Amino acid sequence: MSGGPESNKVVILGGGPGGYEAALVAAQLGAEVTVVDSDGIGGSAVLTDCVPSKTLIATAELMSEVAGAAELGVNFRDSDGDAATSLRVDLGRVNERVKRLAADQSGDIARRLDKEGVQVVPGRGRLDGPNRVVVGDTSYDADAVLVATGAAPRTLPTAQPDGERILTWEQVYDLTEVPTELIVVGSGVTGAEFASAYLALGIPVTLVSSRDRVLPGEDADASLVLEDVSKRRGMTVLSKSRMESVTRAGDIVTVTLTDGRSVQGSHCILALGSVPNTTDVGLEESGVILKDGGFVNVDRVSRTSARGVYSAGDCTGVLMLASVAAMQGRIAMWHFLGDTVHPLDLKKVSSNVFTAPEIATVGWSQQAVDAGEIAAEAVMLPLSGNPRAKMQGVRDGFVKLFCRPGTGIVVGGVVVGPRASELIHPVALAVAESLTADQVAQTFTVYPSMSGSIAEAARRLHRV
């Protein structure tokens, strides 16, 4: 361990990935660390967002795999020896497991913080100038403050959640009855993930999208695959359909669209984006500049406009991923405590949409290439030709690689398919380390394996 001056006092607002990862780094470097937490250690990522949603999705994935087992020669029989014709989900048990795993993960992190000597103060903190944090009647002086207060689901006056049938993504885990018809409003990452998951759980789903395609921020080829697969599996996708209001009458929820049409279901999930938790935190009074929408303005080493005040995570709006929040928090502490630090580089961040199939990306995008922001050659290779994919009954998905003309350096990639979140790692390594397509192509892959398609795509980028 390297040590910093004992006088360095760090106060962190928020116990999510940005906060607790920063606390661990600061403690490692010898600082006196206090984490002020109001929502539970782990934050929304662990308690109401990433961990719970991906646990739910894990159940949905299993349902999909079992549903396709007959093609692989596996048949299920019911108690009478007849072929089982349907799968049913016990949503109460699923959500019980979801919440238990989230709580366990939160407990693990809390114990790690305690072991490293980090003080955790329950409550809501507020800046009283750039060097002091107030929690209730107690104030804490700080040489550095990290604001990692996260974000909350966005709602509208015409679409207010009731926690029973009109739900934000934080409220879905209290469901015990299976929806008979689920409407998801919003086709970004959160909306697409929940729509895909509940569809796989055997629940009829209608996805209301204001844009012309699902996942408008993702690779267009990937979005097309997901939309085609979702429709084939029975999802109703209403594109270019903007929500006007969501109302409830008894057991019926009605989503009214701006063009006068309406859709009815038993439940509705609102996936309308996020708003940063930056109000009543004393930020602007302490000299912290906020951007449009209330997000904290930070540079690539997580500094705000106020000296000694850093910020990390969803409240900055930089890239709403737990991995980015954690890195922003670590970078802030490395910078403040004088350790080696590399500014945040979003072009090296790999991300994943946990739909079925998954969509993973890293580096420069097709959209950037098409817009002329970077010169790159591309190869897209369908997974349907991969021998491992054929064995597993996988027909949908692809690998796409981008490399620089001339040098052949890999600058980006997209993987669409089962476990794309795992398959993107070799592409992320190539992007991070500026490997060439030839270097990727010449690295051994297991035969047969899905990763073989990454090497094959790289081979097709070879230029004599």
Side-chain angles (χ1 to χ4, degrees):
M1 281 177 54
S2 58
E6 290 186 1
S7 61
N8 279 323
K9 294 182 178 179
V10 174
V11 178
I12 297 170
L13 297 183
Y20 74 73
E21 289 287 351
L24 292 172
V25 166
Q28 181 186 44
L29 296 177
E32 181 183 325
V33 187
T34 300
V35 173
V36 180
D37 177 66
S38 60
D39 301 319
I41 294 297
S44 63
V46 170
L47 293 169
T48 58
D49 193 355
C50 297
V51 171
S53 65
K54 278 48 173 183
T55 305
L56 175 73
I57 288 166
T59 300
E61 287 175 345
L62 181 62
M63 292 274 286
S64 296
E65 290 171 3
V66 173
E71 180 187 344
L72 277 65
V74 178
N75 291 306
F76 295 89
R77 302 282 172 178
D78 61 23
S79 57
D80 297 323
D82 297 325
T85 56
S86 64
L87 298 168
R88 296 175 182 84
V89 64
D90 185 337
L91 199 55
R93 289 186 64 183
V94 170
N95 284 337
E96 181 184 330
R97 178 174 182 266
V98 165
K99 290 189 279 190
R100 184 178 69 252
L101 288 177
D104 289 347
Q105 179 71 7
S106 176
D108 288 345
I109 299 166
R111 283 186 289 274
R112 173 80 189 283
L113 292 174
D114 182 65
K115 182 181 177 182
E116 299 299 328
V118 175
Q119 179 187 16
V120 176
V121 176
R124 183 171 174 80
R126 190 178 191 279
L127 270 69
D128 181 17
N131 301 113
R132 180 176 292 111
V133 170
V134 176
V135 186
D137 297 328
T138 306
S139 63
Y140 298 85
D141 292 329
D143 299 299
V145 174
L146 175 71
V147 179
T149 48
R154 177 172 170 260
T155 59
L156 296 173
T158 57
Q160 285 293 305
D162 62 11
E164 294 178 352
R165 291 184 176 270
I166 303 174
L167 310 160
T168 68
W169 68 76
E170 294 183 337
Q171 298 171 328
V172 297
Y173 310 109
D174 292 325
L175 281 176
T176 54
E177 62 174 310
V178 177
T180 56
E181 182 77 39
L182 176 66
I183 306 167
V184 178
V185 179
S187 62
V189 172
T190 301
E193 286 186 346
F194 277 113
S196 180
Y198 282 109
L199 182 71
L201 293 175
I203 297 166
V205 174
T206 298
L207 180 62
V208 177
S209 170
S210 63
R211 309 291 287 274
D212 58 353
R213 63 181 172 91
V214 174
L215 293 174
E218 298 295 323
D219 181 272
D221 292 319
S223 297
L224 182 61
V225 170
L226 175 63
E227 192 161 335
D228 286 347
V229 170
S230 298
K231 289 179 178 178
R232 192 173 73 226
R233 292 175 177 170
M235 185 185 296
T236 301
V237 179
L238 302 180
S239 59
K240 297 181 181 178
S241 300
R242 186 172 295 276
M243 181 269 293
E244 173 72 28
S245 66
V246 181
T247 55
R248 175 186 173 185
D251 293 343
I252 302 298
V253 174
T254 302
V255 176
T256 303
L257 307 177
T258 53
D259 61 7
R261 291 178 297 155
S262 64
V263 187
Q264 290 190 327
S266 64
H267 296 75
C268 175
I269 296 176
L270 303 173
L272 307 173
S274 301
V275 291
N277 296 323
T278 54
T279 56
D280 299 324
V281 188
L283 296 176
E284 291 176 292
E285 298 90 329
S286 301
V288 175
I289 292 175
L290 302 182
K291 298 180 290 186
D292 289 345
F295 292 98
V296 181
N297 191 45
V298 292
D299 64 13
R300 290 175 60 204
V301 291
S302 305
R303 290 179 296 189
T304 71
S305 54
R307 184 175 178 84
V309 180
Y310 295 78
S311 188
D314 287 359
C315 65
T316 69
V318 170
L319 190 56
M320 290 189 170
L321 297 172
S323 58
V324 172
M327 187 59 75
Q328 284 180 297
R330 295 187 201 106
I331 286 172
M333 294 301 99
W334 288 328
H335 182 270
F336 170 66
L337 295 167
D339 202 18
T340 303
V341 61
H342 299 283
L344 182 68
D345 185 353
L346 295 180
K347 285 293 178 284
K348 294 182 179 179
V349 175
S350 55
S351 62
N352 192 71
V353 185
F354 288 85
T355 45
E358 292 182 7
I359 299 171
T361 55
V362 68
W364 289 90
S365 66
Q366 182 76 64
Q367 184 178 4
V369 173
D370 293 344
E373 296 174 26
I374 185 173
E377 298 173 356
V379 160
M380 189 169 84
L381 191 65
L383 282 181
S384 56
N386 179 290
R388 180 74 168 173
K390 292 176 182 177
M391 296 169 193
Q392 295 179 331
V394 174
R395 297 179 180 82
D396 303 296
F398 61 81
V399 170
K400 183 190 289 189
L401 294 181
F402 304 102
C403 76
R404 296 283 280 162
T407 63
I409 291 174
V410 177
V411 293
V414 183
V415 180
V416 179
R419 309 293 192 273
S421 50
E422 312 294 344
L423 278 175
I424 198 66
H425 190 235
V427 185
L429 284 173
V431 171
E433 300 302 322
S434 298
L435 301 182
T436 66
D438 284 350
Q439 287 174 311
V440 174
Q442 292 164 14
T443 301
F444 277 93
T445 56
V446 171
Y447 181 86
S449 69
M450 295 285 200
S451 59
S453 288
I454 294 173
E456 176 61 25
R459 275 192 287 277
R460 297 190 185 193
L461 284 168
H462 177 68
R463 295 291 181 268
V464 179

